Each structure stands twice: as structure tokens, then as C-alpha cells.
Amino acid sequence: MLIGIAPSTQLVRRVNASAMLKAMRGAGVVTGTELMASTGLSRATVISICDELVRLGWLQELENQRGAGDYIKGRPARRFVFDDNAASVLGIDIGANKITAIVADMAGTPLSQVTMPFRTYNVSANERADVLDRIAADVLKKAGVPADSILAVSVGVAAPVSRDGEVLTVQEFWKSFDVRGIVAERHGWQVLVENDANLAALAERWQGTAQGVDNLVVMLAGDRLGSGILESGRLLHGQLGGFGELGYLDTVDGVGDTYGIAHYAVLWGREALDDTPTTKLRELCGDDPAALTAEMVFKAAAEGDHAARQALDRVAHRMARVIGSISTLVNPELVVIAGAVAASAHALIPAIEKQLPDFTFTPPRLATSTLGDRIVSLGAIRHALDYVEEHALDLSPSSLPKRADAS
């Protein structure tokens, strides 16, 4: 009987430890009584797990108030505080053109951020791995964090990823670039892999405009469209990680592909250059259509240029169809447009909102992200912290190598 009971008992203890860490992170000094109230656990369970978390290096126990000179009647309350600096996590966004990495403490506070571009748009897997090594070294050095303090690394990739962190290798590039294996082998870190849009969704719900929203779609909408979807607060993956992939847009009338806002702003902006000799777009790009950018189109439209406004009206109509189709499928409360175009795309929201009821009976609220180009790496930090909390009894500060400068 004991053999059958022990695993479930240990599982319950792991779940309780994770709940305790979630309750304590960012809460400052807390007592056992306060932890009982916030977690619903019994006093005996709270004190037992606190003692274990102190031993593992997650918590510090403070001197009781009586010992510190503050008189209180009865037994003095035991006081604990979460140690934000006990270890670190690393979040990495591997994009088509660049890598962005963030180091954060255990409270999720970023300590440093580094972005490094690739030499060309489509570099080899070996070269991409070398850039990954350099950026990891740079971001750790900038943060003043030793490599052996990293408890977990989360990496965002532009590909479907299963619940188990396996990249769908039908995409040719990922057959030659085993990012999880490469990082784990070169650095010895615990490495997680997740789809970039899924990480963007985690970041938005954690620190962005979607805080507190449980039914959410976050769309990376720059050159290509991708989406991360939360339902009842749970990130959805599907059987092989394809939930949120937008390939079905190839068959949607008036959409036809998965290119994003930046792509079509440029494409239709260039058409406007050909059709309208006096457009401000010509001045902004130096009369060179190849130099036109999405930002130039948004700028010209904001300054009242008719041709640029027409181009963006087309973009808004297309996005209304895209958001309408995904809203009909998953019925979110909120859709957040994120990625490099988010700041500019705010100008499209009124036109999209006006047209949405034409394409779905359940139009969601719309917003644009304020997290900028670090949204995926921030989501990777959240992903790594979630993993560490879930495995707090095994993956703990006490499990890290002891450094010579440790006190």
C-alpha cells in the first residue's frame, strides 16, 4: 500500500510547494497565518513546506518580532520572505533576423537584455548556434549573473511546439537546428522550448494589456501572422503544437495567406506610390519604392496622406477578416495585436472594430501590445518561472553548484 500512496503524496507536496512560492513571490515578508489564508493549506502543511523551502534555498526565515524587539502576546509568528536573488532564469527569442535574450531574477524582474542580429536573413544552423552562445554570454555578463546560477532557460521559436517541448520538424530548418539539445549540451542548463506566439500570450497576460484576462488571443502580426491562445487561463497547444497556427487563412476569402500587417502595409504602400505621384510616401522613401517601410506608411497616414490612408484601410479590412475568423473559432474576450508593428497598429483599431461584426457574431475587445519587441523573451521568462515553480522541490537554488564566492 505504501508504494502506491507515496507517489501521490509526493505529487500533492509538489503542488503545494508551487502554490506557496506563487503566493510568496512579490509578497514581501509573510507569516504562516497569512500563507494559510492565501493558499487554503493547513498550518501543519504550511510550516512543513516552509521549512523545506528554507532548506532548499527558496525562502529566508526572519527573526521573530519578539526577538527583534517588538513585543507581542502569545507564541511569536514565524516570518518568511521569498529570496528573489536565490537563482536566475533566462528567456530567449530566436527570430528570423535576430536573437533577443533577457536574464531575470526569481521575482521575474529583468536584470539585463541584449539583442543581436544575424549576419543575413537566413544563416546556417551552426552560425545561429554561435550567435546564441555569444548573446547568452553577453546578457549574463551585463546582468552580473554567473552561468551556474541559471535554473531554467526558455527559448521561443517561430514553429509549432508540442506540450513536451518538441519542435514540429516538418519545417526543414528545425531538422538541422536542435535548439534545445544545443543549448543544453553547451551550457548544461535545463532548456524549455515554446512557440513564440504562445510566449507572447504568456507575456501579455503577465505584464501587458491582458492582465487578468483568461480567454485571450495574442497575434504576432509583423511580417507574418501567428497567434497564441489562452482558454480559461490555460495555454492551448493541440496534439502536435499546432493550436493557434494560422495556415487556414490561406482558404479564407479576402485573406489568402499568413502575411502580416507590416508586409501588406509595404506592399499596398508601394502600389500607392505607383498610382499617386503626389503622395507623401514618395518623400519619405526618397522616391525609392524598395526603401519604403511599414513605419513610413503609418507616418504618412497619420499626417493625412490620402494614398497611405487607403493602403491602411485595406490592411484594416484584411485584419478584420483575420480576427473575425479566429474569434468565431475560439471566442476570446480580448485580441491583442503584438510584435514589431504593435505601436503603429493602434491606428488600425477603430477601423477593425467597426468592421468586425461583419465577420463574427462574437466580436472581442481589441488592443495593441505595449511590450514592444521584447514580448517573446518576456514570455519566455514567465515560462521558465512557471517551470521552476512547478519543480521547486527538485530544481532549487540548493541544487546549483556552490560558487567559491558564496558566503
Side-chain angles (χ1 to χ4, degrees):
M1 290 295 291
L2 289 176
I3 293 176
I5 292 173
S8 63
T9 301
Q10 184 64 10
L11 175 61
V12 170
R13 194 163 182 81
R14 291 177 189 279
V15 171
N16 289 342
S18 176
M20 295 267 288
L21 288 181
K22 282 182 170 64
M24 294 195 72
R25 182 158 32 86
V29 178
V30 295
T31 65
T33 301
E34 290 167 337
L35 285 170
M36 289 168 57
S38 61
T39 64
L41 300 174
S42 69
R43 178 175 295 278
T45 299
V46 165
I47 295 303
S48 173
I49 292 178
C50 278
D51 286 340
E52 187 164 7
L53 293 177
V54 168
R55 179 180 63 81
L56 292 173
W58 286 115
L59 307 182
Q60 295 176 1
E61 183 170 6
L62 305 181
E63 185 178 10
N64 67 59
Q65 290 172 304
R66 183 176 295 165
D70 296 329
Y71 176 78
I72 57 173
K73 293 182 179 180
R75 178 190 295 178
R78 295 180 66 184
R79 303 185 301 153
F80 303 91
V81 64
F82 181 79
D83 188 355
D84 295 349
N85 299 312
S88 309
V89 292
L90 179 59
I92 301 173
D93 172 19
I94 302 180
N97 303 309
K98 62 187 178 182
I99 295 179
T100 298
I102 296 177
V103 174
D105 64 19
M106 298 313 299
T109 303
L111 304 176
S112 66
Q113 175 179 334
V114 173
T115 297
M116 190 175 293
F118 295 121
R119 179 176 49 84
T120 61
Y121 179 80
N122 192 16
V123 300
S124 69
N126 286 338
E127 185 172 342
R128 195 164 294 215
D130 289 340
V131 173
L132 189 54
D133 278 349
R134 291 200 302 273
I135 198 171
D138 284 357
V139 76
L140 291 172
K141 182 179 179 180
K142 186 177 178 182
V145 168
D148 61 10
S149 77
I150 299 295
L151 272 182
V153 179
S154 175
V155 183
V157 298
V161 180
S162 72
R163 294 183 188 89
D164 298 326
E166 296 295 332
V167 180
L168 187 62
T169 55
V170 294
Q171 295 186 348
E172 190 63 34
F173 175 78
W174 297 106
K175 293 180 180 179
S176 61
F177 187 50
D178 176 13
V179 61
R180 182 161 64 175
I182 289 170
V183 175
E185 180 179 344
R186 294 191 180 190
H187 300 280
W189 291 326
Q190 176 68 42
V191 182
L192 319 169
V193 180
E194 183 55 274
N195 173 262
D196 54 358
N198 285 348
L199 293 179
L202 293 181
E204 278 299 326
R205 190 167 182 266
W206 179 34
Q207 294 190 356
T209 56
Q211 292 180 55
V213 177
D214 286 339
N215 297 290
L216 170 70
V217 172
V218 174
M219 301 193 72
L220 293 178
D223 190 60
R224 290 274 187 176
L225 296 173
S227 67
I229 299 172
L230 292 173
E231 199 280 326
S232 298
R234 182 171 60 94
L235 190 62
L236 301 180
H237 286 88
Q239 181 185 2
L240 298 174
F243 204 97
E245 292 295 313
L246 300 178
Y248 77 90
L249 293 175
D250 293 350
T251 63
V252 174
D253 186 39
V255 180
D257 56 48
T258 60
Y259 285 107
I261 290 173
H263 173 88
Y264 276 102
V266 170
L267 178 65
W268 289 332
R270 287 173 180 167
E271 289 183 10
L273 276 173
D274 293 337
D275 298 338
T276 314
T278 59
T279 175
K280 187 174 180 63
L281 293 171
R282 195 171 303 281
E283 173 189 332
L284 291 173
C285 71
D287 206 22
D288 178 9
L292 188 69
T293 65
E295 289 75 15
M296 292 175 186
V297 180
F298 279 101
K299 177 178 172 60
E303 294 176 2
D305 184 82
H306 180 69
R309 283 185 171 180
Q310 283 190 316
L312 292 186
D313 283 345
R314 295 174 70 184
V315 174
H317 178 76
R318 184 174 185 275
M319 287 304 298
R321 288 178 176 270
V322 169
I323 294 171
S325 68
I326 199 167
S327 297
T328 299
L329 288 171
V330 301
N331 191 204
E333 174 188 342
L334 174 67
V335 172
V336 178
I337 296 174
V341 299
S344 298
H346 188 74
L348 301 176
I349 294 294
I352 297 173
E353 287 178 331
K354 183 177 180 179
Q355 297 176 66
L356 258 184
D358 294 336
F359 305 112
T360 179
F361 290 114
T362 56
R365 293 190 294 114
L366 301 182
T368 51
S369 175
T370 60
L371 298 180
D373 61 3
R374 59 193 229 147
I375 184 172
V376 173
S377 42
L378 275 177
I381 292 294
R382 178 67 268 165
H383 188 221
L385 288 172
D386 288 343
Y387 180 86
V388 169
E389 286 177 353
E390 290 169 10
H391 299 81
L393 298 185
D394 299 316
L395 200 63
S396 64
S398 66
S399 70
L400 296 171
K402 300 302 180 186
R403 301 194 300 275
D405 61 348
S407 56

